[in-house]
Amino acid sequence: MKLSVRITALAAVLATAACAPQTSSTSSSDKDDKSGTLRVWLFQEVGNKPKQQVVDSVVADFEKAHKGTEVDVEYIPVETRAQRVKAAFNDPKSAPDVMEYGNTDTAGYVHDGGLLDVTEEFGDWSESKDTDPTAKQSVTVDGKLYGAPLYVGVRALYYRTDVFEELGLTPPKTLAELATTARKIRAAKPDLYGLVVGGAYTYGAMPFVWANGGELATGKGGSYASAIDSAAAQKGIKEYTSLFTDDNCPAAKCAGMGGNDTVTAFAAGKAGMVIGGDFSHTAVEAGKVKGKYAVVPLPGVESGSIAPAFAGGNNIGVLKSTSHRTLAIDLMEQLASKKTQTELFDAMGFLPTFTDVRQQVAAKQPFVKPFVRTLAAGTKFVPASPAWSQIDSSLVLPTMFQEVVSGKKDAAGASAEAAKKMDEAFGSAG
């Protein structure tokens, strides 16, 4: 199986920001204490216990190797990370030493002076030579590195094999077939959503826009203009929002759902299909549908094509304000090591960022294949502009989708308003 990953748009990550704090006052600490307590913030996952067990093992080994050192790990909600990180950057005393962050956060956090430049240490780290180049780009800004890649994340289509077999259905080969299949499931089994969708699930919605030829924005080099109101983008918006109906996923119940909500519903046996990530695998396995589902790439407009997926993933970085620089960098490397990434894959389904480790796990776990196929088909990313922080944190795209779903505006009106807000943000970013 070919495992070369071409995440073409991910190369743009170095100038991107999601939910970045609006401050630039963070200063570097002059201290480098070799003992004491290190604070770590990691993201709370759907079904977090397996992740916690892996981390606990890393922490135990680290504390054993560094006498007089303790590690305090806190799991924070992804949705509220912007507020937490902003407060931490403004008040170093409340800040962690080491932090997990989304790959869309990198440039914003660097711009605001929060992340430590670890270029030299990353280069000296023996395992770093096997890092996927595109994953390495996700921690790179202006040629300097500000963390270590933790995992690659992409989404594909989970479906209930028992339901499909009972109803004589086959996995859809186009987005149009996806909608038809979803409605067939709902009609035959009114207690199930056909395809559970969420009005606040931006990265579950964007493949519909991208597959129809739409883009979030056009431009490069930090100068962007919104394209979310183009004819092609509007076609994708309509295709996605048409799924919020009583014959699939009623707007009253689904308009407010985010990605975690949709995966939780599928895992609980309440849906025939869901757009979920490789990182959703463990949560689904722990649910009622264990042994009764399969995964295929989300289809595109043309039969046999794959809809472009968002090139997601998370990183581990050290805050510039840490008073334990050496220890914090060592812990960062341990949390992002080959051993830890292998264990996180086994525990959570997170795709490793090391090319050799990814080949190893894909060989032993068939569920990885549709996600690797999705990666290889080409993925998309958010505009490479610091403005993305404002756009993302102010919920411009979820608001647009929800306005269409609720009937307050049509696709043209909602996308025009979203485009206006995006362009204001792009303009303010210079």
Side-chain angles (χ1 to χ4, degrees):
M1 178 172 72
K2 187 177 182 180
L3 289 167
S4 59
V5 178
R6 295 180 288 108
I7 317 179
T8 54
L10 189 54
V13 71
L14 46 145
T16 329
C19 303
Q22 304 302 309
T23 175
S24 57
S25 60
T26 302
S27 60
S28 180
S29 170
D30 294 327
K31 295 182 178 180
D32 189 11
D33 296 335
K34 300 301 193 295
S35 63
T37 300
L38 277 77
R39 298 181 62 205
V40 179
W41 286 359
L42 301 176
F43 289 155
Q44 178 85 27
E45 310 290 344
V46 178
N48 197 61
K49 188 174 181 180
K51 177 180 181 179
Q52 184 175 341
Q53 290 173 336
V54 172
V55 173
D56 286 349
S57 177
V58 175
V59 167
D61 290 343
F62 184 84
E63 290 178 340
K64 185 177 180 181
H66 298 84
K67 300 300 182 183
T69 299
E70 294 184 358
V71 179
D72 179 17
V73 180
E74 180 180 356
Y75 293 89
I76 66 173
V78 176
E79 294 79 8
T80 58
R81 73 189 187 279
Q83 296 89 332
R84 292 292 301 273
V85 175
K86 179 178 181 179
F89 283 6
N90 281 325
D91 180 16
K93 291 182 180 179
S94 70
D97 298 275
V98 179
M99 178 177 71
E100 179 179 359
Y101 61 92
N103 62 8
T104 58
D105 296 328
T106 306
Y109 289 175
V110 171
H111 176 268
D112 290 298
L115 292 176
L116 184 68
D117 177 355
V118 295
T119 305
E120 182 178 349
E121 291 85 356
F122 189 90
D124 292 339
W125 183 25
S126 62
E127 295 187 346
S128 68
K129 69 181 187 305
D130 295 319
T131 301
D132 185 322
T134 50
K136 184 177 179 180
Q137 284 296 103
S138 75
V139 293
T140 305
V141 178
D142 294 333
K144 297 180 179 180
L145 280 76
Y146 294 88
L150 181 63
Y151 71 84
V152 178
V154 290
R155 293 167 176 83
L157 183 68
Y158 287 72
Y159 69 96
R160 288 277 298 275
T161 52
D162 57 335
V163 172
F164 272 58
E165 182 177 353
E166 179 184 344
L167 301 181
L169 302 172
T170 56
K173 293 182 173 59
T174 66
L175 286 177
E177 286 184 18
L178 176 68
T180 301
T181 301
R183 292 187 166 91
K184 287 180 179 179
I185 294 171
R186 178 75 170 176
K189 295 182 174 293
D191 58 323
L192 296 181
Y193 301 122
L195 169 68
V196 59
V197 287
Y201 189 8
T202 300
Y203 298 122
M206 285 311 300
F208 291 77
V209 173
W210 290 324
N212 280 282
E215 297 288 349
L216 283 167
T218 58
K220 62 181 180 179
S223 179
Y224 285 87
S226 176
I228 198 63
D229 58 344
S230 70
Q234 286 186 47
K235 187 175 180 181
I237 293 168
K238 291 176 183 177
E239 190 162 27
Y240 184 70
T241 55
S242 70
L243 295 165
F244 292 80
T245 51
D246 289 344
D247 61 356
N248 177 53
C249 200
K253 293 185 177 180
C254 302
M257 286 189 182
N260 284 355
D261 299 318
T262 64
V263 171
T264 298
F266 180 81
K270 298 179 181 179
M273 297 181 287
V274 70
I275 299 169
D278 52 272
F279 43 86
S280 306
H281 179 254
T282 298
V284 175
E285 274 288 290
K288 292 184 178 180
V289 298
K290 178 179 175 63
K292 297 182 290 186
Y293 72 92
V295 185
V296 293
L298 182 69
V301 173
E302 301 296 329
S303 181
S305 67
I306 296 175
F310 168 66
N314 285 0
N315 304 323
I316 293 283
V318 174
L319 272 70
K320 188 184 291 186
S321 59
T322 183
S323 60
H324 300 87
R325 178 189 174 107
T326 301
L327 286 171
I329 293 174
D330 188 11
L331 180 57
M332 174 195 78
E333 293 176 353
Q334 296 306 309
L335 287 169
S337 70
K338 291 184 178 183
K339 179 177 183 292
T340 303
Q341 288 197 22
T342 300
E343 292 175 351
L344 283 173
F345 171 81
D346 291 337
M348 301 296 296
F350 294 168
L351 279 178
T353 63
F354 297 103
T355 53
D356 55 338
V357 178
R358 188 184 299 150
Q359 290 173 350
Q360 292 164 12
V361 301
K364 69 180 182 180
Q365 291 289 358
F367 87 83
V368 171
K369 293 180 181 179
F371 300 105
V372 173
R373 284 182 59 200
T374 300
L375 283 166
T379 54
K380 294 281 189 176
F381 203 65
V382 297
S385 167
W388 187 254
S389 62
Q390 180 181 340
I391 294 167
D392 192 45
S393 62
S394 56
L395 305 178
V396 172
L397 295 180
T399 298
M400 175 190 71
F401 289 119
Q402 290 168 340
E403 285 180 340
V404 177
V405 169
S406 67
K408 291 181 180 179
K409 294 181 180 178
D410 60 12
S415 63
E417 180 64 22
K420 179 182 177 182
K421 292 177 182 177
M422 290 175 69
D423 284 335
E424 289 173 352
F426 290 136
S428 66

